[in-house]
Amino acid sequence: MRINLSRVISKLFSLSHLKLFILYAAAFIWGSTAGIITKHFSSKVSVTSAPASSSWGLSFQEEGKAPTGNAGSDELKKYNAYYINPTEDKKIYLTFDCGYENGNTHLILKALKKHNAPAVFFVVGNFVKDNPDLIRQMLQEGHLVGNHTMTHPDMSQISTEESFQNELSGVEKLYQETTGESMPKLYRPPRGIYSTENLSTAQKLGYSTFFWSLAYVDWIQDQQPSKEEAFQKLLTRIHPGAIVLLHNTSSTNGAILDELLTRWEDMGYRFCSVKEMTGAS
């Protein structure tokens, strides 16, 4: 029997294409279905995950005017939380976040003392442990020391009140051991990340939470802003009732603070304590 070889090859080739077509079609259908399933369950996961958190942010609309924050003053006040003192008086509230010491805090304290300017230093646990003399100096010179948590975590991801409290009580204990006094109930969330549940928990623990209405990028050690860059942000954006956030690790802040405070004073501003807002002692 003669076999038409070309016809057999053609038939096999057609069958191969048919199988490939079926495989591709099946893959496409499965992929589309899987995408729908994935999308569906992804939305479910986001709904049932940890409480929604936000990073504190500001929008500046006009030079010399207060910025708009993630939340308004009235909304925050329900949780004893603040980002500004809503006043027309030219008051400034100075705050410093202290993660560690690199030689600039002495310069900052010297400038504050010269201008009789009270400040709040929000400290983490290792700063208190490693710098007891600086903590005592802050108190002796009329400043407040606030709580920036023991280990500087994302507090919005802490799920239990006990864990939240431990982050604060650890710093309280170190402060008590260092100064012999109880720590003021002033709290700043690390990196400004928070949730309303955080604010509520802090309030339940007796704390007032502080965000800010003026800051600039001063914390990157190998990218410190120039004096001109710092003044461009800090002079043009200052406003009545400003809560100013600066970092103690910034060499720029150490170098310019005396002149910065002088220039703010020349603009008619005066430096006040957050005690005005909270009654903290």
Side-chain angles (χ1 to χ4, degrees), residues 63 90 92 114-115 226-236 238 255-271:
E63 185 173 319
K90 286 193 167 183
I92 295 174
K114 178 180 176 179
H115 291 265
S226 67
K227 170 183 172 180
E228 291 73 24
E229 289 170 335
F231 282 162
Q232 195 280 325
K233 290 284 173 60
L234 297 172
L235 294 178
T236 63
I238 195 63
I256 71 168
L257 190 61
D258 181 17
E259 183 179 351
L260 176 64
L261 299 184
T262 298
R263 294 181 69 169
W264 275 338
E265 287 172 326
D266 290 344
M267 294 169 70
Y269 285 92
R270 67 185 190 277
F271 309 109

Side-chain angles (χ1 to χ4, degrees), residues 115-136:
H115 291 265
N116 194 29
V120 183
F121 291 87
F122 287 99
V123 298
V124 296
N126 64 276
F127 186 91
V128 184
K129 191 182 302 182
D130 296 341
N131 304 281
D133 290 341
L134 278 177
I135 296 295
R136 287 189 283 266

Side-chain angles (χ1 to χ4, degrees), residues 124-155:
V124 296
N126 64 276
F127 186 91
V128 184
K129 191 182 302 182
D130 296 341
N131 304 281
D133 290 341
L134 278 177
I135 296 295
R136 287 189 283 266
Q137 182 182 350
M138 290 169 183
L139 262 64
Q140 290 165 4
E141 296 181 358
H143 305 297
L144 296 170
V145 178
N147 203 322
H148 202 34
T149 73
M150 193 68 184
T151 63
H152 205 262
D154 177 352
M155 293 291 276

Side-chain angles (χ1 to χ4, degrees), residues 30-48:
W30 167 246
S32 300
T33 306
I36 294 169
I37 293 170
T38 301
K39 186 176 181 181
H40 175 75
F41 283 103
S42 293
S43 64
K44 289 291 187 182
V45 169
S46 66
V47 170
T48 58

Side-chain angles (χ1 to χ4, degrees), residues 8 55 62 85 96 107 110 127 144 154 159-160 183 231 268:
V8 171
S55 292
E62 186 179 344
N85 181 8
F96 295 85
L107 294 172
K110 182 179 179 181
F127 186 91
L144 296 170
D154 177 352
S159 59
T160 67
M183 191 172 201
F231 282 162

Side-chain angles (χ1 to χ4, degrees), residues 230-260:
F231 282 162
Q232 195 280 325
K233 290 284 173 60
L234 297 172
L235 294 178
T236 63
R237 292 183 172 181
I238 195 63
H239 50 273
I243 296 176
V244 180
L245 162 61
L246 301 171
H247 285 82
N248 74 307
T249 54
S250 168
S251 57
T252 298
N253 291 341
I256 71 168
L257 190 61
D258 181 17
E259 183 179 351
L260 176 64

Side-chain angles (χ1 to χ4, degrees), residues 79-80 168 172 184-187 200-209:
Y79 303 98
N80 292 340
L168 299 179
E172 292 173 359
K185 297 285 189 175
L186 309 173
Y187 163 62
S200 180
T201 301
Q203 181 185 39
K204 186 176 179 179
L205 296 173
Y207 274 86
S208 295
T209 299

